[in-house]
Amino acid sequence: MPKSKGPQIDEKALSKKYRTSVTRLIRAWKSGRSDMEIAARAGIDLTTLRQIKTDIELAHRKLRLEKKKEALAKSQASLQRQIFLRPLL
């Protein structure tokens, strides 16, 4: 049973912005290749590659923050409901 990953970063938009295959770059990073090697193989500048990497990291950070806020709101709502149901404890 595959695990649902939820909302992902928009790789198509990043690919269009930087005019390169971001999906291919992510796969190369996951396989353990260095930034220098990826830049040479993809034919892009090292600074552009690092900018892509920071954009991806920022998108992931935003997603984690949103999930954290949702979990906090859910736990707060649950706590308020418990207080309402058992006010004397």
Side-chain angles (χ1 to χ4, degrees):
M1 190 170 179
K3 186 178 177 183
S4 174
K5 292 192 174 196
Q8 294 290 325
I9 61 169
D10 192 5
E11 293 176 8
K12 278 189 171 185
L14 284 175
S15 294
K16 190 174 183 180
K17 178 180 178 182
Y18 291 107
R19 295 187 208 125
T20 187
S21 174
V22 173
T23 307
R24 196 174 80 207
L25 296 176
I26 292 171
R27 271 192 258 129
W29 277 315
K30 284 183 179 181
S31 68
R33 301 205 191 286
S34 69
D35 287 351
M36 292 292 289
E37 186 178 358
I38 295 170
R41 283 188 176 201
I44 58 175
D45 199 30
L46 188 59
T47 55
T48 305
L49 182 68
R50 290 199 175 137
Q51 184 63 43
I52 294 169
K53 195 175 201 177
T54 56
D55 283 353
I56 293 169
E57 288 172 351
L58 182 62
H60 280 289
R61 201 174 300 147
K62 284 180 181 179
L63 286 173
R64 285 192 300 267
L65 184 61
E66 287 174 11
K67 285 182 183 179
K68 197 175 198 180
K69 284 182 180 180
E70 287 175 5
L72 182 62
K74 188 182 265 188
S75 70
Q76 290 292 331
S78 172
L79 182 62
Q80 288 174 352
R81 192 174 330 141
Q82 287 175 0
I83 291 171
F84 176 72
L85 294 175
R86 298 186 303 179
L88 299 175
L89 292 179

